[in-house]
Amino acid sequence: MNPVILPLTSMTATHLVAFMAFQAVPIVAPDAARDLGIDPGLVGFYTSGAYAGGMISALSSGALIPRWGPVRLCQVTLAVAAVGMALTASGSLAVAIVAAFVVGLGHGPITPSAAHLLRATSPPSILSVVFSIKQASVPLGLAIAGAALPPIVLMYGWQAALLLVGALCVVCAVLLQPVRARYDARAEAPPPMTLGAVLEPLRLVATMPALRELTAIAVGLGTGMFCFTTFIVVYLTGTIGFGLIDAGLFLAASQAAGMISRVVWGALADYCGRPRLVLAGIAAVDAVCMLLLGYVGIDWPYWAMYGLCVAIGACAVGWSGVLLAEAARKAPSHLSGAAIAGLTTVFGFAMIFIPSGFSIAVTTIGSYRLGFVVVAGVTVLCALALLRPAPETRTRRRAGELLE
């Protein structure tokens, strides 16, 4: 068997299920909010709470990976995500607020753990496509959730839908046990769990210019990705007037496109050897799509809605595999998991505020259009940054100019 297949398959399945848990609440938000007596537009606060938990657990993963192993850490976090789903399904608003944090705890270490394992088992020449295949599990998980959860909500209720996702997390954790036996060989003396070890991922981001820039770009591109995935169902049902099933299918189409495009962008980046240029093109198209999203209407034909959602999925959702592979390349191989942990920690910190800020904006102003315009502007800035040479290239050029 190809040595890449087993770790790639197991990490892809893990990320798929974990992301279903992370995004299940925004999908069931219209019905859940009605039962809880709150505005569905406030779902951004749930996402922010989840990112608060994810930020803490992602930061800790840099120290936990060498102690437990990446696969064991994934098993633990899947179990935690299942607990978060059960808590959210309790029907209590106070418990749901805590549950958002718990769900985030169960999501944060997945990407650093997978990065550590895949960097160790993948040839450098195919690293972008390997990371992109793994990251394709994110839109695939959301596509499955977007297509499957609304009918379950209509037939059995939103709480049943969340409990089903929690059960999937438990099943996935159990199925990872044989994989753990093969890949979780730990050092005889893992580093002590000190504050310095926990903060090492942030030190890497702070001291490596290339990683610092990629982290900032990830935050910018992630703004569009999560504002879209968090609010699209609420926006299309509550503001535009589409039904829940239609909105769920639009979301599913966008995530299917994101799943396919992640692999395509990864293969293209490996083929041409210019991942920054690929990312710049993705960001430029994403900005245009976000502008159009603010002008959709109930009179739009279905083919146009599906076309726009597919384009957004291909760009707003499709970038992460290429960017994470580029970040992993910039770090020493034994620190790739810690480097990705640092990037995702900063990313998670930003996402604590961005979805909540979007919620405040749309509920205060009463319009999603301005929010999508701002998101488009941020994405344009990312495209411009990516068109510049990488930080290390700019440093070499300045050094060459001084020598001349």
Side-chain angles (χ1 to χ4, degrees), residues 62 81 87 95 112 121-122 124 128 133-134 160 183 202 228 233 268 283 308 355 362 364 372-373 386 402:
L87 290 173
V95 173
T121 56
S122 304
S128 288
I133 290 172
K134 194 274 295 183
Y183 291 105
L202 293 181
F228 175 75
V233 172
L268 179 61
L308 179 59
V362 300
T364 301
F372 289 130
V373 169
L386 287 161
L402 289 174

Side-chain angles (χ1 to χ4, degrees), residues 105-207:
L105 288 176
H107 184 264
I110 298 294
T111 298
S113 298
H116 181 91
L117 182 58
L118 295 178
R119 174 73 189 275
T121 56
S122 304
S125 61
I126 61 169
L127 197 60
S128 288
V129 75
V130 166
F131 271 65
S132 295
I133 290 172
K134 194 274 295 183
Q135 287 299 117
S137 61
V138 173
L140 177 59
L142 193 49
I144 294 172
L149 294 187
I152 294 173
V153 170
L154 294 177
M155 289 188 291
Y156 303 107
W158 62 272
Q159 291 155 309
L162 296 184
L163 291 174
L164 175 61
V165 175
L168 288 176
C169 291
V170 174
V171 170
C172 185
V174 172
L175 292 177
L176 282 176
Q177 186 58 29
V179 183
R180 177 181 181 263
R182 181 166 182 175
Y183 291 105
D184 273 5
R186 299 192 300 273
E188 291 185 6
M193 193 72 175
T194 63
L195 180 61
V198 172
L199 296 179
E200 175 65 11
L202 293 181
R203 187 195 68 80
L204 288 173
V205 172
T207 57

